[in-house]
Every structure is written in structure tokens, then in C-alpha cells.
Amino acid sequence: MKNLFNLVPACCAVMILASCGKTTETNETVTETEVIDSIASKYLSQPLISDHYTADPSAHVFEGKIYIYPSHDVESEVPEDDLGAHFNMMDYHVYSMDSPTSPIVDEGKVLGVDDIPWAKRQLWAPDAAEKEGKYYLYFPAKDENDIFKIGVAVGDSPTGPFTAQPEPIKGSYSIDPSVYEDTDGSYYMYFGGIWGGQLQKYRNNKFDDKGSAPTDGLPADDEAALGPIIAKMSGDMLQFAETPKEIKILDENGSPILNGDNDRRFFEAAWVHKYNGTYYLSYSTGDTHYIAYATSDNPYGPFTYQGVALNPVDGWTNHHSIVEVDGEWYIFYHDTQLSGKTHLRNIKMAPLKHLADGSIETIDPIN
Ligand code: FUB
């Protein structure tokens, strides 16, 4: 893929341009660079990586540096469908940045589907955690029965190499693991995603397949929506230490957000951060494309819906992480600026602000 971003001076504002090589009404030749600048100026932030496609960025500060663990999007022969079959990713790379304004470094491939004994396809959104000098890469993948499970691979540095455990985490299912390290030293995994993420096929952690359409198995529109799942991690970070539990997301009246409330109900991409002692659960609303957030005084919830952290991006999916770096907060997210295709995304970052009342100032990714 052509490195588009190298052609784009970051802050170049241009007037409306027709197309590459064409002549404007003022008889000036419009260059390729100007066209790219024109497109770039539409966005709040520019792609961090532009020589391959990246998505679902989970960012952390480890050993004083920023490390990003994204999906590695690839062109696929698999036709697009509502279950995301065309998101046919094969491996993971890790990226690092010395600071939020430093160049990003591709630390290379750290794990491939062939390195994971139980995984057959579709390495979706990963996350990583550090404990006592060991690094854990958590990832969802489909097994030989095309059922998503969550695996873990272990390394001695934030950039791996990571060695996958021979089996998925016992009792794991669905997608989008994110592991939150609480201030008391506990680690919790939040996971789950509906439609292609298969969460609707489970109740109380038991598989109960109600059909193959994306919405088969979802509650009725006037019933409580499915929530993300939480489980405390075992001391060795390789298993759940408890039976996973569903998290409740409530509205301002204390009633559950309903399945038909597509602007506010959980779809996928759960992420937790803590600010001023409050737990913030942020997540994608999927088919309405928001990154919403809800707050609680307990990592298990219930969480109360508060609003939107990130408005819809270009592309169908919206998936993010929120991280503090040297006292400032950032959101990492993705869009489809470089490709225009839903399954070929590029990661980005932008500052995120907590306001005095604890709310998050909504970020608009498109100017
Ligand atoms: O990247 C594949 C899937 O798309 C992720 O697991 C979802 O969160 C969505 O971003």
C-alpha cells in the first residue's frame, strides 16, 4: 500500500479541490498532494500508521512509553457480511511511541494465527496487560468450530515475542477483551460483542445458539440489552479467577438500557479507565457507531449511562481505548480515512478531556 500519510503535511488547509491532475477554475493545476491534504483536513487527527492497516487500538503506558496493541486489518477474499467475516485478520503487530507527539514505531509482528494452537481464523481486537515484569497479550479468535474464544500469550517485554497458551482461557467466549488493572492491584477482563461477536448466543455463560442471523438470540427491543461481561483475572493472569458476570448499564432513572435503544445500548469494544475514583466504562454502540460511556463506583457496576465520548468515525466500526499519559488523557481510535473500506482501518489518537463535573467532552473525529 502506498504511504499516503508521508505525502500529507499535517496542518495543510486547502480549498475545495476537484480531482488529481485536473485544473481548477482559477487555472491552477491541482496536485496529488493537494488532493490528499484536502481529504486530510476533514479529520480531527491523522492516521498513526499508513503503510498497512490497523484498527481497534488498545493503548497502555508500560515502562514510561506508550505501547499500542491494535488489530492488523488485511485485504480478504472473504465476502462482506453482517457477521464481519471480511474482518479476516491473521496476526498482530505492536507499536510504540516515546510520547504522544513522538513518531510511532512498528515493533513488528508479535503473534500470528499459526502460532496459536487452538485458533483457526479472525484475530480480532486485542489488549495487553503487565504484571510483575511479564506481559500478557489477550486476543479473541475463532476456534475450529467457528466459535470465538479468548486466548492469552505471554512475553517478557511489551513488544513480545509472545507465546500463546495451548488452550483458550477456560470459560471465555465472544470478543474484544480488555484488561483493566485496578488501583488495588486487581486485574479484570471486560469482554463481549453482539452480532458477529456472538455474545447474543450466550446466557449466564452458557452457549445457546438461536440462529445465524446477527440479531438471533438478542433480547426483545423492550427488554434489557445484553451487557459486557466481567471476570477477575487469576494471579497468574492466564485464567479467570471467578465465574464471569454480566454488567448492567442503567439509564438516568436507574432502569436498564433497553435492547431497542440502539444509541445507548452496548454492542462491543468495552474499555474501563478510572478518573477521580470513578470507573468509566466506554463502549461502541455498533450500528449507531458511537463510543458511549457510563460510570460506576464499582468495577462490576452497575454503570449509569452518561453520554458520548466519541462521535461516529468514517467506517462502520468504532473502537477505542482511553489512556493517561503524563497527566493528560488521550483516546486512541480508528477510522477508514486511508482506504474508504470498512474492514481496512487506520488507527489515530486525540486528546480527551474530563470536565469539572466528571463528564467527558464529546470528541468529534470529523471537522
Ligand atoms: O476488528 C474486528 C472487530 O471490529 C472488533 O473486534 C470490533 O470491536 C470491531 O472494531
Side-chain angles (χ1 to χ4, degrees), residues 56 71 87 89 124-125 175-176 268-269 317 319 334 345:
D56 311 320
S71 301
F87 293 95
M89 297 85 111
W124 283 14
I175 59 165
D176 290 0
E268 62 188 4
T317 64
H319 189 128
H334 66 226
R345 300 161 291 180

Side-chain angles (χ1 to χ4, degrees), residues 243-255:
T243 303
K245 299 170 183 62
E246 184 180 350
I247 287 178
K248 301 267 172 282
I249 304 177
L250 309 177
D251 66 14
E252 63 282 7
N253 302 315
S255 302

Side-chain angles (χ1 to χ4, degrees), residues 138-303:
Y138 297 94
F139 56 89
K142 279 185 179 165
D143 68 9
E144 60 189 3
N145 300 313
D146 268 349
I147 301 297
F148 271 116
K149 300 274 169 61
I150 295 170
V152 54
V154 187
D156 290 323
S157 97
T159 56
F162 292 97
T163 304
Q165 292 293 293
E167 302 287 341
I169 293 173
K170 207 167 161 215
S172 71
Y173 54 95
S174 196
I175 59 165
D176 290 0
S178 70
V179 174
Y180 169 69
E181 179 186 355
D182 207 346
T183 36
D184 68 357
S186 305
Y187 292 78
Y188 300 95
M189 181 182 289
Y190 295 82
F191 63 92
I194 61 173
W195 292 27
Q198 302 179 343
L199 182 64
Q200 71 279 5
K201 295 179 184 291
Y202 294 82
R203 290 296 186 279
N204 297 321
N205 305 313
K206 297 265 180 315
F207 186 76
D208 180 13
D209 197 357
K210 296 264 198 290
S212 56
T215 51
D216 286 346
L218 284 174
D221 279 358
D222 60 355
E223 292 176 351
L226 298 180
I229 311 294
I230 180 174
K232 192 172 190 172
M233 299 305 295
S234 57
D236 64 6
M237 299 291 278
L238 302 179
Q239 298 293 338
F240 296 150
E242 61 184 4
T243 303
K245 299 170 183 62
E246 184 180 350
I247 287 178
K248 301 267 172 282
I249 304 177
L250 309 177
D251 66 14
E252 63 282 7
N253 302 315
S255 302
I257 298 280
L258 301 181
N259 186 60
D261 188 350
N262 293 39
D263 280 349
R264 299 193 296 177
R265 62 97 174 82
F266 170 75
F267 189 102
E268 62 188 4
W271 182 268
V272 166
H273 74 278
K274 204 179 203 175
Y275 179 76
N276 276 353
T278 295
Y279 297 89
Y280 287 69
L281 166 69
S282 42
Y283 56 92
S284 173
T285 62
D287 58 354
T288 51
H289 318 296
Y290 295 106
I291 297 297
Y293 73 100
T295 56
S296 178
D297 58 6
N298 190 306
Y300 292 89
F303 285 82

